[in-house]
Amino acid sequence: MTLCNNRNIIITGAGAGLGRAYALALVAEGAAVVVNDIRRDAAEAVVAEITAAGGRAIASSDDITSMTGAAAIVAAGVEAFGEVHGVVNNAGVVRDRMFASMSEDEWDMVIKVHLKGHFCIANTLVKRWRDQVKAGNKVSGRIINTSSGAGLQGNIGQSNYSAAKGGIAALTLVQAAELGRYGITANALAPAARTGMTEGPFGEMMKPPADGSFDHYAPENVAPLVVWLCSEASAGCSGRVFEVEGGRLSIANGWKTGTITDKKARWNPAELTDVVAGLIAEAPPAQKVYGT
């Protein structure tokens, strides 16, 4: 039996890049998939590739940033396959600009697609799964979110994207804490791979090796973890942010309370220069913001 046999998964932004790689890998492990992409032709091309190989898939181009669109995506999956067991929130956009030059529209677009896009489908599915549990049924739901190294440590020229991806990491922690009682896990990825969004700034660095050796930045390298997270085998894993690059896999360590200095009284502002300097000296150094 394959790892995701009888599992039905929604994948957003699945018309190319990482999303396509996830769809193909999930189907290879027995899943049926809803291939969602704002580009209908791209979604249909991936579905055609899957069905030609004997897999099960349907295309969707509904809007992930509205509850109406999310409901339509979930309904399509339920109608086609009988149930939906997980979502891979993969869709995203970039509008790179230095913070001082960024427009309101550039900020709003990135926050909407990433943060609200992650909310709508997951919220729709969680309500469905919660109702099933309340009716006495067992649920094994999976939410796989997409953060980024930019969200974990920041990236010059991507304040909007970094803020959205950092928010997604925090969202994942809260989802995991709240939803475990229903049999739902929530985890996030911070992948480093060749996609449409990396072609500009990282195109040369991430291009496939000419000698046919291991393609470190191939999106297919991230897909095995996604398959595992979508499966029932991952039931004991929730609230984690995985960094994946090539054959490298790690779990990110988040913010933690550092050394505490307690005066047991109110601080005088003039005292804090030396106090804060001491706290910084004792704190482990943070990873540098990308681009610095």
Side-chain angles (χ1 to χ4, degrees):
M1 180 180 293
T2 48
L3 198 60
C4 286
N5 201 38
N6 299 319
R7 302 282 285 172
N8 308 317
I9 309 295
I10 294 167
I11 310 158
T12 69
L18 284 165
R20 173 183 172 274
Y22 300 160
L24 295 177
L26 280 162
V27 170
E29 288 288 337
V33 295
V34 178
V35 178
N36 171 264
D37 200 291
I38 194 170
R39 303 159 299 170
R40 182 78 189 189
D41 56 341
E44 289 177 343
V46 174
V47 169
E49 186 177 1
I50 289 170
T51 55
R56 295 182 302 150
I58 62 169
S60 163
S61 57
D62 290 294
D63 182 8
I64 64 168
T65 69
S66 76
M67 295 302 289
T68 300
I73 296 165
V74 172
V78 171
E79 181 180 356
F81 307 127
E83 188 51 82
V84 173
H85 303 103
V87 59
V88 183
N89 284 312
N90 169 72
V93 297
V94 289
R95 295 291 187 272
D96 294 351
R97 190 87 59 195
M98 298 300 282
F99 182 76
S101 302
M102 185 167 292
S103 71
E104 182 179 9
D105 286 345
E106 288 167 336
W107 179 270
D108 286 348
M109 172 61 76
V110 171
I111 297 298
K112 180 180 179 181
V113 171
H114 290 275
L115 270 176
K116 191 176 181 185
H118 271 60
F119 166 78
C120 291
I121 293 181
N123 182 262
T124 301
L125 280 171
V126 163
K127 288 174 179 174
R128 177 180 179 84
W129 292 333
R130 182 186 60 184
D131 288 346
Q132 291 174 357
V133 171
K134 288 182 176 180
N137 299 313
K138 182 181 177 181
V139 164
S140 184
R142 299 289 181 266
I143 300 170
I144 295 90
N145 295 325
T146 303
S147 184
S148 168
L152 302 180
Q153 63 193 78
N155 193 21
I156 296 293
Q158 288 193 317
S159 58
N160 49 3
Y161 184 75
S162 296
K165 292 302 192 181
I168 287 166
L171 169 66
T172 302
L173 300 181
V174 178
Q175 288 174 327
E178 291 184 356
L179 303 178
R181 73 189 74 177
Y182 304 119
I184 302 166
T185 67
N187 293 283
L189 312 168
R194 190 169 52 250
T195 71
M197 290 195 298
T198 66
E199 285 177 354
F202 304 112
E204 183 63 25
M205 181 186 79
M206 289 186 169
K207 69 181 181 181
D211 61 4
S213 59
F214 177 58
D215 186 356
H216 186 80
Y217 290 107
E220 289 77 11
N221 298 333
V222 184
L225 176 62
V226 172
V227 171
W228 183 80
L229 288 172
C230 287
S231 76
E232 295 198 52
S234 65
C237 177
S238 195
R240 305 294 182 176
V241 179
F242 291 87
E243 295 187 84
V244 194
E245 177 186 324
R248 300 170 59 185
L249 177 65
S250 64
I251 294 176
N253 289 319
W255 290 99
K256 300 179 186 297
T257 302
T259 301
I260 297 172
T261 296
D262 185 358
K263 182 181 178 180
K264 300 189 183 302
R266 184 177 303 137
W267 291 100
N268 184 305
E271 295 177 290
L272 292 175
T273 298
D274 290 339
V275 172
V276 172
L279 290 174
I280 291 173
E282 292 188 42
Q287 287 182 259
K288 288 187 176 182
V289 171
Y290 288 117
T292 61

